[in-house]
Amino acid sequence: MRALLMVAITAAGLVPAEVEARAIDVICRAGWGARRPTKTLVKHAIKRMTVHHSGARLRDNRRAPRRIRGAQRYHQGRRKGWADIAYHYLIDLAGNVYEGRPAWARGDTGTNYDPTGHLLVCVVGDYGKQKVAPAQVAALVDLLAWGARRFKVSPATIRGHSDHAATSCPGRNLQRLIKSGALRRRVEARQKAGGVSLRLVCGAAAKRR
């Protein structure tokens, strides 16, 4: 009965005070087959957190690592010419979190805003067309709660890409969570419940994920 009550409370968006700090696994760069940066990365200091989507619908989550590798190739290719994949972290349909470029390195964008100071989190998929999976929302909450504490920034700084530039990213379904304040409130609740720590997962464990 207690377990069912806890599930019901969490589903309602209310996190009780006794919930302990969480540790979330992050698939390391080697775990998803990342290339090395092609140029020198530019250092910056995180002051805010910004949510993106990849913009292409993802139906089969087994293709997520391939999709992320493709994004990195595109970002490093001749058309973009960036040093690395644009984002610091990415989240797939199952809520798996992937390590992108280092958080200390400024991200990149093809739109009209300066990503200096932004922690860039990309939810893989097209959230103008598909719904955000509960596992993705949970992972996003955990990741942003970690980021807020790690970089000493307020959850009030959470925005969607379209809040900073003329773009449909991160899609209306993700942007609705941001604009309504629901995402911020869940991040604040996670912080009050003990926060989040990250641990990198590589090798066979990453492949199993």
Side-chain angles (χ1 to χ4, degrees), residues 82-96:
W82 299 335
D84 203 348
I85 193 166
Y87 315 109
H88 299 111
Y89 295 96
L90 302 96
I91 300 171
D92 71 15
L93 296 177
N96 295 312

Side-chain angles (χ1 to χ4, degrees), residues 122-198:
C122 178
V123 184
V124 181
D126 183 344
Y127 297 98
K129 296 179 180 177
Q130 63 189 105
K131 294 181 179 179
V132 191
Q136 290 176 303
V137 177
L140 183 60
V141 168
D142 284 345
L143 188 57
L144 294 175
W146 168 81
R149 184 163 294 182
R150 170 66 179 80
F151 301 107
K152 296 180 174 61
V153 298
S154 170
T157 66
I158 298 169
R159 296 288 186 275
H161 185 181
S162 58
D163 290 314
H164 298 293
T167 177
S168 61
C169 177
R172 63 180 180 273
N173 293 323
L174 259 175
Q175 186 66 7
R176 189 179 298 121
L177 291 173
I178 298 165
K179 281 291 189 183
S180 68
L183 183 60
R184 172 186 54 77
R185 289 191 294 271
R186 287 188 60 174
V187 169
E188 290 171 341
R190 170 49 58 199
Q191 288 184 307
K192 290 178 182 177
V196 178
S197 62
L198 299 190

Side-chain angles (χ1 to χ4, degrees), residues 101-124:
R101 69 172 61 193
W104 57 257
R106 184 184 67 200
D108 276 298
T109 178
T111 58
N112 57 336
Y113 85 108
D114 181 359
T116 303
H118 294 245
L119 181 71
L120 304 181
V121 179
C122 178
V123 184
V124 181

Side-chain angles (χ1 to χ4, degrees), residues 39-51:
K39 300 177 182 179
T40 301
L41 296 166
V42 178
K43 291 185 178 181
H44 75 154
I46 299 294
K47 296 181 180 179
R48 56 188 60 85
M49 299 182 289
T50 303
V51 179

